[in-house]
């Protein structure tokens, strides 16, 4: 029994729209709150509000969907300390669990079974000063690093970090994703191909299917 509680914006079942498991049916647990304010944030509705839920009740709802994959996201999930216990409970229950995190909070205590999908914030986000580069030492071959790219300056910055930290040799996938209101996807794709970067281009699949709708 886990009576610890977390503030939750929403729990829903959909197709994973990003990362290596893009396209797979997944339960999303979106935690409320984020200490960052990225210029292009598309989940501002998760900054406040939500509902306090016990870990037991979260586990019960997640089980009801009968899915194999669970993604804990936000906001910034790690802004709530009991997120660490939630992640452990989900892994104990046998799910393949991923954590989407801004890269600004310490990953040292995250359960080793969790797939970490960590952002490195490029300058266009306005939050690159919050990147906690020591988190890279906590990433391994099952984890992923995501760069959200607004323009050519962000692309050049991301390519330089890719090399500086040997990210392609360290994690399973380095994800380059265009900001929906920024660089054209085709342009970003051409830059990646021209430079022969060992990264995975991605666009948000859920937006292609459902547009700006929330809860999908
Ligand atoms: S870290 Fe994520 S949730 Fe927080 S402001 Fe940036 S994009 Fe939005």
């Amino acid at each position: 029994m886990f009576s610890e509680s977390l503030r939750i914006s929403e729990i829903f079942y959909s197709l994973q729209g990003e990362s290596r498991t893009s396209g797979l049916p997944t339960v999303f647990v979106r935690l409320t709150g984020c200490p960052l304010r990225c210029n292009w944030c598309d989940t501002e509705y998760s900054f406040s509000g939500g509902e306090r839920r016990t870990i037991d009740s979260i586990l019960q709802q997640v089980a009801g969907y009968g899915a194999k994959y669970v993604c804990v996201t936000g906001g910034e999930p790690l802004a709530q300390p009991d997120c660490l216990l939630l992640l452990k409970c989900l892994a104990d229950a046998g799910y393949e669990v991923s954590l989407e995190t801004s890269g600004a909070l310490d990953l040292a205590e995250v359960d080793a079974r969790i797939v970490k999908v960590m952002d490195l914030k490029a300058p266009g986000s306005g939050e690159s000063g919050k990147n906690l580069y020591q988190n890279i030492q906590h990433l391994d071959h099952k984890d992923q690093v995501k760069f959200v790219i607004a323009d050519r300056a962000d692309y050049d910055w991301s390519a330089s970090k890719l090399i500086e930290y040997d990210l392609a040799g360290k994690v399973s996938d380095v994800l380059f994703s265009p900001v929906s209101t920024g660089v054209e996807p085709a342009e970003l794709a051409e830059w990646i191909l021209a430079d022969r970067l060992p990264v995975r281009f991605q666009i948000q699949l859920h937006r292609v299917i459902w547009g700006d709708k929330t809860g999908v």
Side-chain angles (χ1 to χ4, degrees):
M1 296 290 286
F2 294 96
S3 57
E4 291 85 349
S5 66
L6 293 149
R7 186 158 283 280
I8 301 293
S9 285
E10 55 184 350
I11 300 176
F12 61 96
Y13 176 62
S14 186
L15 298 182
Q16 175 59 269
E18 303 183 66
S19 81
R20 196 175 66 244
T21 55
S22 179
L24 294 176
T26 300
V27 179
F28 293 83
V29 180
R30 188 181 305 285
L31 274 62
T32 306
C34 182
L36 280 69
R37 290 294 179 269
C38 302
N39 290 328
W40 36 253
C41 180
D42 60 0
T43 50
E44 290 175 320
Y45 64 92
S46 71
F47 289 168
S48 60
E51 181 190 3
R52 193 152 272 285
R53 301 271 305 268
T54 64
I55 288 181
D56 274 344
S57 95
I58 296 167
L59 292 172
Q60 199 175 3
Q61 183 172 346
V62 169
Y65 297 109
K68 175 179 176 186
Y69 296 94
V70 179
C71 177
V72 175
T73 186
E76 167 50 70
L78 295 174
Q80 297 190 55
D82 280 336
C83 177
L84 294 172
L85 179 59
L86 173 65
L87 292 167
K88 180 183 179 309
C89 290
L90 288 166
D92 287 347
Y95 301 109
E96 290 198 21
V97 185
S98 60
L99 167 70
E100 293 185 337
T101 178
S102 64
L105 278 85
D106 187 9
L107 294 180
E109 301 302 322
V110 173
D111 189 288
R113 295 167 293 180
I114 307 301
V115 174
K116 297 179 278 290
V117 182
M118 188 190 88
D119 286 4
L120 280 179
K121 299 293 185 189
S125 70
E127 291 286 33
S128 57
K130 304 253 176 70
N131 289 323
L132 212 55
Y133 291 101
Q134 57 263 44
N135 271 332
I136 293 172
Q137 69 182 302
H138 302 304
L139 302 177
D140 63 29
H141 61 277
K142 68 179 176 355
D143 298 323
Q144 299 159 59
V145 174
K146 183 171 81 171
F147 294 90
V148 180
I149 293 167
D151 53 23
R152 180 73 202 197
D154 275 4
Y155 171 81
D156 290 338
W157 183 91
S158 303
S160 76
K161 296 297 175 197
L162 175 76
I163 293 160
E164 182 181 350
Y165 291 99
D166 184 26
L167 295 174
K170 189 164 185 56
V171 297
S172 81
D173 293 85
V174 178
L175 310 165
F176 272 30
S177 185
V179 174
S180 59
T181 52
V183 59
E184 285 299 319
E187 200 171 15
L188 175 57
E190 282 158 18
W191 294 341
I192 290 168
L193 291 169
D195 290 340
R196 291 169 169 67
L197 292 189
V199 302
R200 181 189 290 268
F201 170 88
Q202 65 166 21
I203 47 177
Q204 294 179 306
L205 179 65
H206 51 288
R207 280 176 177 266
V208 173
I209 301 172
W210 292 293
D212 281 341
K213 215 170 135 193
T214 58
V216 289

